[in-house]
Amino acid sequence: MFVTSFPRDFCIRKMSTAQGSGGAYGAGKAGTPFDPLEFIKKPQVILRAVSLIWSIIVFGCIIAEGWHGDMCQMHGDNNACGYGTGIGIIAFLICLIFLVIDAMFENISSVQHRKYVVIGDLGLSALWTFLWFVGFCYMTDAWRRSEEGAPYLAPNGYGKDHVQAAIAFSFFSIITWGGLTFFAVRRYREGVTETFQEGYNPEQNASSPYSSFPGSDTGDPYQAPFGGQKEAPEYQPPTY
């Protein structure tokens, strides 16, 4: 019974799962009303909002007072200022886009599309965790090698606090983006597990697609055609 009915039931369930009628990847069923309070309580939303603010601080401090004339105050290495500004602006845009996607995630009916969103979140979060780590090390080393009285440094310590703030918040960004990577991995694992469980759950009491042999009165749907025959009646010779 299980062998004959499993392929059909499994295909039907996989088709319904692909259409995404149920919840998956850390979200409820599609069409759930948007709840702002529940939305802002989500860990990935909190971390994303914090990462957005810190990215503004990083590139804002560098743009505002990280330059002295046309030279970067971090050892005169313009690439250090450019790197911090670049990853900060792109991180800001990524956080903004994914905050909108997080708000719309409950209304994504396709499980496959939810999977793509989570994979994208996972990849970008892991990548920016690494880029922030590189940026922190790069800017810290450049600032450490800066010499007092060098032409690339502004007089009277102008911009010093801004440069140090940019370096500090680039370090904090490593932590928040690492947290986003962690929650993206957890959402992906939950989604894969839920999808597999919904697809591989054949009904144990599913009826057989094959009808019983005609004429069988035993109630067994697999009664052999020549099994359990009644005794033949005695032969009656014909009368002439």
Side-chain angles (χ1 to χ4, degrees):
M1 182 184 302
F2 172 77
V3 175
T4 56
S5 62
F6 169 70
R8 181 190 63 176
D9 294 341
F10 181 76
C11 293
I12 293 174
R13 291 175 180 274
K14 290 298 289 180
M15 289 175 63
S16 61
T17 302
Q19 293 174 354
S21 57
Y25 291 97
K29 294 184 178 182
T32 304
F34 178 73
D35 188 348
L37 293 179
E38 291 297 325
F39 173 71
I40 62 178
K41 291 179 182 178
K42 293 181 179 179
Q44 70 268 20
V45 173
I46 297 174
L47 286 174
R48 219 181 298 281
V50 173
S51 298
L52 183 145
I53 295 173
W54 287 353
S55 66
I56 295 175
I57 295 175
V58 172
F59 74 77
C61 288
I62 295 176
I63 292 175
E65 298 183 6
W67 297 82
H68 176 52
D70 57 351
M71 291 186 296
C72 178
Q73 295 205 64
M74 290 181 276
H75 195 60
D77 189 350
N78 293 346
N79 291 329
C81 287
Y83 185 91
T85 303
I87 63 173
I89 293 176
I90 298 176
F92 167 77
L93 295 176
I94 292 174
C95 291
L96 200 61
I97 292 172
F98 271 94
L99 280 174
V100 175
I101 294 176
D102 287 339
M104 300 173 58
F105 196 73
E106 297 281 354
N107 293 322
I108 300 177
S109 59
S110 173
V111 174
Q112 195 69 14
H113 291 168
R114 289 188 179 188
K115 178 181 177 181
Y116 293 151
V117 170
V118 173
I119 291 176
D121 184 15
L122 172 59
L124 288 174
S125 298
L127 176 61
W128 247 256
T129 302
F130 172 74
L131 292 179
W132 278 121
F133 174 76
V134 173
F136 169 72
C137 295
Y138 186 14
M139 292 188 291
T140 300
D141 182 66
W143 181 248
R144 179 185 60 82
R145 291 185 289 114
S146 299
E147 300 173 358
E148 292 292 339
Y152 50 77
L153 288 178
N156 301 322
Y158 176 80
K160 179 180 178 180
D161 294 339
H162 284 68
V163 173
Q164 292 176 342
I167 295 174
F169 281 93
S170 66
F171 173 77
F172 298 151
S173 295
I174 299 173
I175 300 174
T176 56
W177 284 87
L180 288 171
T181 304
F182 168 77
F183 284 109
V185 170
R186 192 174 74 171
R187 290 170 67 191
Y188 179 77
R189 288 180 176 177
E190 289 177 354
V192 171
T193 302
E194 292 171 358
T195 302
F196 178 78
Q197 289 177 347
E198 290 180 5
Y200 189 82
N201 187 24
E203 296 178 3
Q204 298 298 325
N205 297 325
S207 60
S208 171
Y210 302 100
S211 60
S212 59
F213 183 78
S216 174
D217 57 354
T218 62
D220 185 0
Y222 292 97
Q223 178 67 37
F226 299 101
Q229 292 183 347
K230 296 181 180 180
E231 295 183 358
E234 296 181 359
Y235 175 73
Q236 298 293 334
T239 56
Y240 299 96

